Amino acid sequence: MNISIVGTGTMGRLVRDLAVQNSDIGKVWNVEPALGETLWDTNPDVVIDFSHPNALKMICDFAKSKKGKVPVIFATTGYSKEEEQLIEELSKTVPVLKSSNYSYGINALKRILGLATILLESSSDIEIIEKHHNQKIDSPSGTANLLADTIDPKQKKKRVFGRVGEHKRKDEIGIHSVRGGTIFGEHQVIFAMKDEVIEIKHTAFSKTIFAKGAIEAAIWIKDKNPGYYTIDDVFY
């Protein structure tokens, strides 16, 4: 299997380095749209995107030109609603897998939160705190939004991103972002009840976990039919 990796930032390079060591993978291309490089100069069986929303049109156009034979793994975050719709539209003719986080631990955390929410939602104030390195541009993180959607999939609760001023807490989920140093990624969900608190936390000590999950997803999706897949389909 040959793969093309879109993006030559930290994650793009890490995926490339792991891919060339994987016996299931043959050729590996690493293209940087910001430098004018495109997927048309490569011949992949699967595309892995760790770049920027600006590259979305190029990726979609390339995947469509391959008539559904080249699946796409989307690992970029920070898409607008319109861009999310473009990805959903692409999945009608191309196998697409999209996730805000490719770590096994975070996806296990999602399942744990599903049960915790059933048990605690009605009696708890729920807060999410996420921490990342000082070079991360988007906030809150895609994973924080993913966890909020896991807790409240129909978005019945108001999302409050940080707090300022004088406002009494209502039926909401607070989401708070910290940016500093070289923190790989930390996500904490707090269920605060009367006289007791339950905290569930995931800490990433290396970005390798995200690259490994993306490669596993690429191998899994290679022969799948067009459709919109999630990382749950890979891990579970």
Side-chain angles (χ1 to χ4, degrees):
M1 180 180 86
N2 302 328
I3 66 171
S4 289
I5 303 158
V6 183
T8 57
T10 301
M11 284 308 306
R13 296 194 304 272
L14 186 54
V15 174
R16 177 197 64 204
D17 293 344
L18 288 181
V20 297
Q21 300 173 37
N22 193 307
S23 60
D24 292 322
I25 298 174
K27 291 185 177 181
V28 179
W29 293 273
N30 201 182
V31 302
E32 180 50 70
L35 298 178
E37 298 173 357
T38 74
L39 288 167
W40 275 273
D41 297 322
T42 70
N43 186 31
D45 296 301
V46 179
V47 171
I48 299 178
D49 172 41
F50 265 106
S51 59
H52 187 276
N54 288 345
L56 180 59
K57 185 179 185 304
M58 184 268 291
I59 296 169
C60 289
D61 288 347
F62 177 81
K64 290 176 183 177
S65 75
K66 297 300 180 179
K67 309 298 182 183
K69 295 182 180 179
V70 178
V72 181
I73 303 295
F74 285 104
T76 295
T77 59
Y79 289 116
S80 66
K81 289 184 179 180
E82 292 76 14
E83 289 166 336
E84 295 278 5
Q85 290 172 354
L86 287 177
I87 295 173
E88 291 185 15
E89 188 67 25
L90 180 66
S91 71
K92 295 178 181 178
T93 56
V94 173
V96 165
L97 193 153
K98 180 179 178 298
S99 178
S100 301
N101 193 300
Y102 283 82
S103 100
Y104 184 85
I106 282 290
N107 286 280
L109 174 59
K110 283 171 50 186
R111 294 206 160 196
I112 294 169
L113 285 178
L115 176 59
T117 300
I118 292 173
L119 297 174
L120 303 171
E121 181 181 17
S122 62
S123 59
S124 301
D125 295 324
I126 304 173
E127 301 281 302
I128 298 172
I129 302 172
E130 58 97 350
K131 303 176 183 178
H132 283 87
H133 53 86
N134 59 18
Q135 299 301 304
K136 186 171 178 60
I137 298 173
D138 59 314
S139 61
S141 68
T143 300
N145 288 326
L146 178 69
L147 297 179
D149 288 340
T150 300
I151 295 167
D152 182 32
K154 295 183 179 180
Q155 297 195 17
K156 293 181 179 180
K157 296 179 181 293
K158 181 180 179 181
R159 308 282 170 93
V160 177
F161 302 98
R163 291 191 176 85
V164 64
E166 300 180 2
H167 304 282
K168 186 176 180 180
R169 194 186 199 285
K170 298 181 180 180
D171 189 20
E172 61 196 38
I173 297 178
I175 304 177
H176 313 278
S177 299
V178 175
R179 296 288 176 269
T182 56
I183 302 171
F184 285 120
E186 182 179 299
H187 292 84
Q188 179 182 12
V189 182
I190 301 170
F191 294 89
M193 297 163 280
K194 183 175 175 58
D195 298 329
E196 56 186 335
V197 175
I198 293 178
E199 299 179 0
I200 305 173
K201 178 179 176 183
H202 175 274
T203 302
F205 294 104
S206 167
K207 292 185 178 181
T208 302
I209 59 176
F210 311 122
K212 180 181 177 183
I215 290 174
E216 288 182 22
I219 294 170
W220 178 87
I221 204 173
K222 179 179 179 295
D223 298 315
K224 296 296 184 290
N225 294 321
Y228 194 108
Y229 300 95
T230 71
I231 195 64
D232 285 350
D233 297 314
V234 180
F235 288 151
Y236 308 111

